[in-house]
Amino acid sequence: MTTIECASWNEASLLQNVLYINQFIRFILDEPPEKKQLFTYTNHPQWKSLCEISEGFRLIDDSIQELREDECEKIKLLKEEYNRLFIGPNPLPAPLWESVYLSREYLLFEEVTLEVRNCYRQYGLSFIRESNEPDDHIVIELEFLSYLIQKILDCEDVETRKLLLDDHYSFLNNHLLKWCLTFCELLSKSTSFSLYQGAALLLEEYINLENEIISAMKEAYER
């Protein structure tokens, strides 16, 4: 997904596709895979066109197509791989929390976590498990980006839209862009499964694409 082969889409269509990609990445990283849900995603109207412009989507699609020919062994292996990568009990090869990458002691629930929590609270949001799990989990940070995108789509006031774009740009650059690409590299190197290699590549593509889109929108509003 490079310098927006999607440039022909209008702004709303582009943001709707960004929302879909965001949702799909969260689904892949949030829980062990289920065949039925994976197949449901491939039936989305934009799936084929996204596979045409995204290497990450193509890798994931190849993995999902293999599941169609398999009774249960491959999905079992994918679930085991998810647990190895993200749950434990052994040390995780690609941790899902920002603070692991950016805090001085590589610990959870550090200053970075509180900074992210404050970003959520500015919008009246809180992580339902914040007392037991850090707020800077990749899935929660992506969900916050998704929330801001939806507010941008729904907003008709120009000045409010500018503020939303500023907050989105700030969160993306002060948080996800500072650690997500390292996470993607670790994840890609840590697995031989195309589903998760594709997820690493897709997340990298998505973060760079979203930064490009939001930067362009901010620039357009500042003219």
Side-chain angles (χ1 to χ4, degrees):
M1 223 175 283
T2 58
T3 318
I4 318 185
E5 294 171 63
C6 330
S8 59
W9 298 342
N10 64 39
E11 184 179 286
S13 295
L14 188 54
L15 290 178
Q16 288 290 354
N17 278 276
V18 166
L19 281 176
Y20 171 74
I21 298 167
N22 180 305
Q23 181 188 49
F24 180 69
I25 295 170
R26 283 187 280 132
F27 162 69
I28 291 290
L29 296 179
D30 193 35
E31 57 188 17
E34 296 290 343
K35 288 172 73 169
K36 184 177 179 180
Q37 290 174 292
L38 286 168
F39 295 159
T40 298
Y41 272 99
T42 64
N43 292 329
H44 187 275
Q46 289 296 342
W47 183 267
K48 287 185 178 179
S49 61
L50 288 169
C51 286
E52 290 173 1
I53 61 173
S54 164
E55 181 62 26
F57 264 113
R58 283 194 289 272
L59 276 172
I60 292 168
D61 187 63
D62 288 344
S63 178
I64 294 173
Q65 296 312 319
E66 289 178 3
L67 292 176
R68 295 184 186 278
E69 304 163 9
D70 183 68
E71 288 295 323
C72 59
E73 184 59 29
K74 287 181 181 176
I75 196 69
K76 177 185 174 185
L77 291 173
L78 281 171
K79 289 180 178 183
E80 290 174 355
E81 181 68 351
Y82 180 91
N83 289 329
R84 184 186 74 82
L85 290 169
F86 305 128
I87 303 297
N90 297 318
L92 304 181
L96 293 163
W97 299 272
E98 177 180 347
S99 46
V100 174
Y101 298 85
L102 299 186
S103 66
R104 283 172 293 182
E105 302 297 328
Y106 307 104
L107 297 174
L108 300 175
F109 285 111
E110 293 290 287
E111 183 179 347
V112 172
T113 307
L114 299 180
E115 289 174 4
V116 169
R117 181 178 298 175
N118 287 335
C119 291
Y120 303 158
R121 286 187 172 171
Q122 286 177 7
Y123 281 87
L125 304 173
S126 61
F127 180 32
I128 57 174
R129 298 195 299 272
E130 72 175 32
S131 299
N132 301 309
E133 187 176 341
D135 312 52
D136 56 357
H137 190 285
I138 181 65
V139 171
I140 309 306
E141 293 195 1
L142 288 172
E143 187 175 359
F144 183 57
L145 288 185
S146 178
Y147 172 84
L148 292 177
I149 293 168
Q150 189 61 60
K151 287 188 74 70
I152 291 167
L153 278 167
D154 294 340
C155 180
E156 297 181 359
D157 179 72
V158 172
E159 293 304 316
T160 304
R161 252 189 167 213
K162 286 181 181 178
L163 291 173
L164 288 166
L165 286 166
D166 286 343
D167 285 348
H168 189 295
Y169 181 85
S170 176
F171 188 78
L172 188 59
N173 281 269
N174 291 328
H175 293 286
L176 282 142
L177 274 167
K178 285 188 173 181
W179 72 279
C180 232
L181 301 183
T182 301
F183 163 74
C184 292
E185 183 179 359
L186 281 176
L187 177 56
S188 182
K189 289 180 178 178
S190 299
T191 184
S192 60
F193 286 74
S194 56
L195 180 70
Y196 295 113
Q197 288 179 339
L201 183 53
L202 180 60
L203 177 56
E204 181 178 352
E205 292 173 326
Y206 166 79
I207 292 295
N208 289 327
L209 174 65
E210 186 151 348
N211 189 45
E212 187 174 348
I213 292 168
I214 297 301
S215 298
M217 289 178 67
K218 273 173 53 64
E219 185 179 337
Y221 277 106
E222 289 165 3
R223 288 174 187 160

